[in-house]
Amino acid sequence: MKTNIGKLVKQSVQGNIRHPQFSGYRVDTDGNVHVIPATGGITYNVKIGDPAFGWVGDHVEPGVSLCHSDSGTSGGLNVFSCIGNEAKVVTGEAKGRKGFVTGTHGGVEHVLIYFDDETLDLLSLDDKIMIKCHGQGLALEDYRNVKIMSIDPELFLKLGIFEQNQKLMVPVTHRIPQRFMGSGVGAPFSQKGDYDILTSDHEAVKALGIDRLKFGDIVLLEDSDNSYGLGAMKKGATSIGVIIHSDCIKSGHGPGVTIIMTSSDGTIEGVIDPNANIANYLLK
């Protein structure tokens, strides 16, 4: 596959670790109220490669959650940070230690970062983290109808994508029907944040194996065209995304997906591979 990697711009963005917020009870789809952890902070025991289901929480973000208080700067932090980009701590006891981006979360406008356990223990909520942004604008010269976004070029080349019958075959853990896509549909930018897989129908979720999703899993979204905004339904279109936050208790929500590839005409196809998880490409 011929790419334009050599022409991509690499820049820095920077954010602060976001303190967890509390704004009241969280109500589940059965009307029960909960006081449980959710977004933000330094999450020590939830990591890429772990199950996205089963946590006593809502929209739980693995690792470290970054944001910026200025809205314009926050937009740049979220849009230009790509999955797999290098992240470096620039303040505090963990200064100089490195990790990588695992996803971008819409609504709260967080960028999620993986660090090893030793680094997590050294971090504080006052620390700043700089990201080497590289990847937006990545394109395949022979597949102009395929849009690539929000993924580091080096990680993209590790995904095991191969060409077959003028299609791109992408290893994925699951195929998700379009009818399961919820919160975030209609967002105007596919490169910003994520959108959620609906999980309130527990029987349907179990039947499709969606309840076995893990943080970092690469999945295919059927009949979904994310070329210009999130969630457009189009028969035969396909999108590829990465699971970035946990299952949710709130109606209309579920595990979040950050889009990394999309094709309006089905040029992208999925090949089921249980090992198609970014942890297997980035932690070796």
Side-chain angles (χ1 to χ4, degrees), residues 196-219:
D196 289 6
I197 301 170
L198 300 173
T199 55
S200 55
D201 188 337
H202 303 300
E203 291 185 6
V205 165
K206 187 174 182 179
L208 286 172
I210 293 172
D211 60 335
R212 296 193 295 274
L213 284 169
K214 298 177 181 180
F215 298 106
D217 273 355
I218 299 168
V219 299

Side-chain angles (χ1 to χ4, degrees), residues 1 3 15 39 54 66 79 129 139 173 177 206 208-209 226 241 249-250 254 271 284:
M1 295 183 294
T3 73
T39 60
L66 296 189
V79 168
I129 295 169
T173 63
K206 187 174 182 179
L208 286 172
N226 289 284
I249 66 170
K250 294 175 66 177
V271 179
K284 291 183 177 180

Side-chain angles (χ1 to χ4, degrees), residues 59-77:
H59 291 82
V60 177
E61 299 168 335
V64 174
S65 304
L66 296 189
C67 72
H68 199 285
S69 58
D70 177 78
S71 60
T73 304
S74 177
L77 173 65

Side-chain angles (χ1 to χ4, degrees), residues 13-54:
V13 295
Q14 186 168 291
N16 296 76
I17 299 177
R18 177 74 178 271
H19 198 291
Q21 307 290 301
F22 178 76
S23 57
Y25 289 117
R26 289 178 179 260
V27 182
D28 65 27
T29 54
D30 296 318
N32 303 306
V33 297
H34 303 263
V35 177
I36 51 178
T39 60
I42 303 166
T43 304
Y44 299 98
N45 63 333
V46 182
K47 306 176 186 298
I48 58 168
D50 287 345
F53 284 73

Side-chain angles (χ1 to χ4, degrees), residues 40 46 64 75-76 86 92 118 122 127-128 131 142 167-168 174 180-181 192 202-203 217 223 255 260 270 274:
V46 182
V64 174
E86 178 186 285
E118 186 176 354
L122 292 173
D127 284 334
K128 297 179 180 180
I131 298 166
D142 296 329
K167 291 181 179 283
L168 295 176
H174 293 74
F180 279 84
M181 301 314 297
K192 192 171 189 283
H202 303 300
E203 291 185 6
D217 273 355
D223 300 322
I260 59 171

